Amino acid sequence: MKPTKSLIKNFLNAHWLRFENLPWDIQVAMFFQKYKPKKIKRSLEVGVGNGINTLLNLGGSLKKNEDHFSNLSLLSTSNKDYWNTFKRKRNPIYKSANGRFDIALDHKKNLLKNAENLGISKKYILYDCNKSFDKFGKFDFIYSNIIYWLKNPIKSIKNFEEVLYINGHIMLTIPNQNFFKYSETFKSNNKFLNFINFGRRKHYKFFNNNGSFDRILKKNKNLKVIKKKSILSKNSLKFWDIGNRILFPVYSNHSNYEISKKKRLNLKNATIRRLMPYVTKLVSQEMVDIYIKNLPGAYDLYLIKKIK
């Protein structure tokens, strides 16, 4: 199993200022593209965010002058939500998604506005994803990568089951105990490491602790795990944990507010050319660690089927 060059290029184009995300996001995209059911009548994404990764997961791509950062407001170094902004007026799509969700949910208005520009769903609904999904009807495919963030994940997954047709599928991503073991800024009491965690640890409210989630699923006779894959090796997580976080606000402000659009694109293209061989090796090493060396991963990906 190997990511294509175009997949790496598309994700690097979207994440060029935060390239430490690529081993993670590319692995999720590959799992999504390989195991997403071929025939889907009605689908739901719970927690779509700004929609860019969903566009890439669905085989689409962004224009060269568009990315996760081209839409951000002027950033400070405080622990604010950088992503919950909207100022885009133009069409950001280079290649449209191959298929769409029927409904995409998110609880942040600006993120949802960004997602609407990407053509990844038929409907976009502002919604607290901690609440019941019954009002939206039945589905045969539900996808979510925010289970760790929900207040009561087990209750939410039970609700997924209730709104899922028999033979329908749920695809989930969940951190496991290795996530906190490998990520130094999450586990350490060191003041500097705690400082550069930038408040991320408070968002992780649920994880698969030594198979605890697997045991919960096993007790549910209506659900069956069709495929499980653990991704993100120790090397990838340690790199992701720090990455370009400290300087990111400076680079984002410079590229978005201190130079022209033409210079920004030239800077971005030069950065991508410089990063491409390193990112390719970084992603390739993740694949070797997980698929050849079978090293324990820190994030679990699931495809679950409702059997009765």
Side-chain angles (χ1 to χ4, degrees), residues 276-287:
M276 190 65 185
Y278 295 95
V279 164
T280 300
K281 289 184 182 297
L282 177 66
V283 173
S284 297
Q285 186 60 54
E286 164 70 9
M287 304 304 291

Side-chain angles (χ1 to χ4, degrees), residues 46 105 127 129 131-137 156 159-160 163:
V46 178
L105 306 177
Y127 195 71
C129 296
K131 296 180 179 179
S132 170
F133 308 105
D134 296 19
K135 64 188 293 182
F136 303 116
S156 296
N159 192 216
F160 286 175
V163 300

Side-chain angles (χ1 to χ4, degrees), residues 284-301:
S284 297
Q285 186 60 54
E286 164 70 9
M287 304 304 291
V288 168
D289 288 347
I290 293 299
Y291 288 93
I292 297 177
K293 294 183 179 180
N294 292 313
L295 298 180
Y299 228 81
D300 296 332
L301 312 181

Side-chain angles (χ1 to χ4, degrees), residues 1 28-38 171 227 291 303:
M1 194 173 186
V28 172
M30 292 173 66
F31 187 89
F32 183 95
Q33 292 172 4
K34 183 173 182 178
Y35 296 109
K36 175 176 167 282
K38 302 300 180 186
M171 189 177 285
K227 182 66 180 180
Y291 288 93
L303 181 68

Side-chain angles (χ1 to χ4, degrees), residues 220-248:
N220 189 326
K221 302 304 180 182
N222 296 330
L223 299 176
K224 180 180 180 181
V225 176
I226 302 299
K227 182 66 180 180
K228 177 188 175 184
K229 183 64 186 174
S230 296
I231 65 167
L232 291 178
S233 66
K234 185 176 183 178
N235 291 329
S236 294
L237 249 293
K238 282 184 173 294
F239 184 72
W240 168 85
D241 193 21
I242 298 175
N244 196 32
R245 297 177 191 279
I246 296 174
L247 290 174
F248 166 62

